[in-house]
């Protein structure tokens, strides 16, 4: 589903990603872990070309989604972003109603069919495990929701346009334990329909939600392995030190 081949990424002179080659299968959850500043978010942002928005950056190597190089000149970034949805660390609902937050992506994609929009909003909210909590107040402002609900709303917003890949950058780090476990359950249930890549600082979370884990350090992919293997019996000493908290 996703494949990077010898990716190098630079912010000006700073070499942020060093020769990263990695494959992610469809319908799996891949966790990206590693110390702050190691390049996890930079790597994640490659897949929907969010790094394009930053001046002075440079990329070499290839990034393929479903076999297509997404940095090829012929690729339309809008189309790519329909296929690759993203959820950020801090819930960022729009200053609109709950309903309109979820409908937003459909409207900007010129979908006008009212009954389809209504149906898709409900489906997305159900998929994001939020429907029961909001079904009676769809016209209320999204800001009236709790942080955990806002984050699930942002997930529903991402799902509404039916992406095949969902990128999540520390989606639960600003949430309380109950909301966090809801998001984790949600990730688990979304896996059947989506390919998910999640950045997390929480080792237990990575171990709970992911099939595969990539450990980054200083822009290098140190180890990429089955999550079980990674946390029980990693191949690299650096990984062992990091996951046991002996990293220094
Ligand atoms: N817009 C930018 N301009 C210049 N350098 C940047 C920019 N964004 C990130 N960097 C640098 O690239 C490196 C990787 O940053 P990145 O945000 O990918 O790390 P991260 O692993 O996501 O860290 P964290 O866990 O703190 O979120 C860091 O050294 C950072 O300072
Ligand atoms: Mg980050």
């Amino acid at each position: 589903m996703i494949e990077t081949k010898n990716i190098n990424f630079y912010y000006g002179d700073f070499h942020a990603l060093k020769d990263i080659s990695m494959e992610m299968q469809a319908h799996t959850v891949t966790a990206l872990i590693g110390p702050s500043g190691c390049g996890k978010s930079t790597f994640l942002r490659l897949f929907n070309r969010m790094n394009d928005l930053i001046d002075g950056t440079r990329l070499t190597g290839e990034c393929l989604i479903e076999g297509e190089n997404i940095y090829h000149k012929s690729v339309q970034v809008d189309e790519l972003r329909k296929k690759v949805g993203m959820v950020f660390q801090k819930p960022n609902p729009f200053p609109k109603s709950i309903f309109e937050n979820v409908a937003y992506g459909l409207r900007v994609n010129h979908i006008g069919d009212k009954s389809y929009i209504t149906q898709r909003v409900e489906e997305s909210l159900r998929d994001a495990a939020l429907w029961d909590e909001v079904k009676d107040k769809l016209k209320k402002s999204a800001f009236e929701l709790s942080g955990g609900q806002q984050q699930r709303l942002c997930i529903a917003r991402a799902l509404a346009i039916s992406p095949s890949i969902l990128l999540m950058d520390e989606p639960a780090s600003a949430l309380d334990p109950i909301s966090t476990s809801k998001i984790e359950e949600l990730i688990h249930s979304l896996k059947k329909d989506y390919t998910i890549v999640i950045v997390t600082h929480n080792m237990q979370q990575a171990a709970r939600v992911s099939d595969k884990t990539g450990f980054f350090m200083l822009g290098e992919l140190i180890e990429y392995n089955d999550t079980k293997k990674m946390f029980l019996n990693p191949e690299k000493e650096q990984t062992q030190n990091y996951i046991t908290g002996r990293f220094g």
Side-chain angles (χ1 to χ4, degrees), residues 148 151-152 155 171-172 175 179-187:
Q151 191 62 309
R152 279 178 285 142
I155 293 172
L175 306 180
S179 304
T180 298
S181 75
K182 282 197 175 153
I183 301 277
E184 289 183 11
E185 280 166 33
L186 178 58
I187 291 170

Side-chain angles (χ1 to χ4, degrees), residues 18-22 213-217 219-224 236:
K18 299 173 183 163
D19 209 34
I20 311 288
S21 297
M22 206 165 167
T213 299
F215 170 53
F216 286 75
M217 235 171 77
E220 286 180 60
L221 179 61
I222 304 294
E223 182 165 348
Y224 179 42
K236 299 276 165 61

